[in-house]
Amino acid sequence: MKTLITTLIFMFVLLGSLTSSRATADEIALYAGYTLGANDDDRITALSYSLDAPSSFSWADGVVFTLGEFNGLDKKYGWNDFDDVLYYSVGAYWHFFEGKSTRFTFGFSPTYVDDNYYYAHYVGSRWHFMSSLNYTYFIAGSDVFASVRYQHTSNGGLAPPNPGVDGLGLQIGYRW
């Protein structure tokens, strides 16, 4: 666990220095959502930090770092074998559309999940991939925003089984 946290901090510093000494914008956001499909009505929560890349950094619009948690069935049914499961991800995002008060964003992040079980399912691997779509609205011309977020997390076929988890929720944040 300490190695993973140290690695994430190192990657954060390295990616921050690669993008430039002064980023065009930073954001912090809190996400709260529910799973869809087989894991219906289970919670997903996350805290993310995003760093926009300067225009000279051409392959992505920015980098996002996320600490999240899958929580749900274990508490709902009183199962003690499966605690809430943390996940950590570092990836890139791209703006498909960005207007004065709205934007539409796609993100993709390699993700480490703290256990091979979540939502009382064996998920084959601790290494996953998270993809997300966000529709964001900046409130009344301010730096405060709200987003509707869809995310999909799965191990991408790295190891069977690969059930995947889809989530839908709201994200609130601040940009500076």
Side-chain angles (χ1 to χ4, degrees):
M1 178 68 143
K2 288 181 184 178
T3 304
L4 177 63
I5 291 170
T6 304
T7 303
L8 287 174
I9 291 170
F10 173 75
M11 289 172 65
F12 171 75
V13 171
L14 178 64
L15 289 171
S17 66
L18 287 176
T19 58
S20 98
S21 60
R22 184 178 186 287
T24 56
D26 295 343
E27 291 180 359
I28 191 160
L30 182 62
Y31 168 72
Y34 287 93
T35 60
L36 306 170
N39 298 308
D40 202 21
D41 293 333
D42 297 320
R43 294 177 323 273
I44 302 172
T45 54
L47 178 66
S48 62
Y49 172 75
S50 302
L51 176 68
D52 276 359
S55 57
S56 61
F57 194 68
S58 61
W59 70 272
D61 290 329
V63 178
V64 61
F65 307 88
T66 304
L67 169 63
E69 185 176 51
F70 296 113
N71 21 49
L73 279 177
D74 54 324
K75 300 244 165 102
K76 187 188 294 184
Y77 295 109
W79 297 349
N80 295 323
D81 293 342
F82 307 106
D83 290 330
D84 296 340
V85 177
L86 292 174
Y87 65 88
Y88 315 87
S89 65
V90 178
Y93 61 86
W94 298 265
H95 299 306
F96 288 135
F97 167 81
E98 190 166 18
K100 272 190 164 185
S101 61
T102 61
R103 73 173 176 223
F104 188 65
T105 306
F106 169 75
F108 182 79
S109 302
T111 302
Y112 179 80
V113 180
D114 232 4
D115 201 342
N116 287 348
Y117 288 87
Y118 53 90
Y119 301 131
H121 297 287
Y122 179 65
V123 293
S125 171
R126 288 183 181 215
W127 288 102
H128 290 249
F129 301 96
M130 182 181 307
S131 53
S132 63
L133 293 172
N134 288 12
Y135 178 76
T136 302
Y137 177 76
F138 285 89
I139 299 168
S142 72
D143 291 324
V144 175
F145 62 88
S147 300
V148 174
R149 177 183 173 95
Y150 167 80
Q151 77 177 41
H152 173 78
T153 307
S154 74
N155 72 30
L158 293 175
N162 181 23
V165 173
D166 294 310
L168 183 64
L170 296 176
Q171 189 171 14
I172 58 169
Y174 181 74
R175 180 180 187 107
W176 68 92

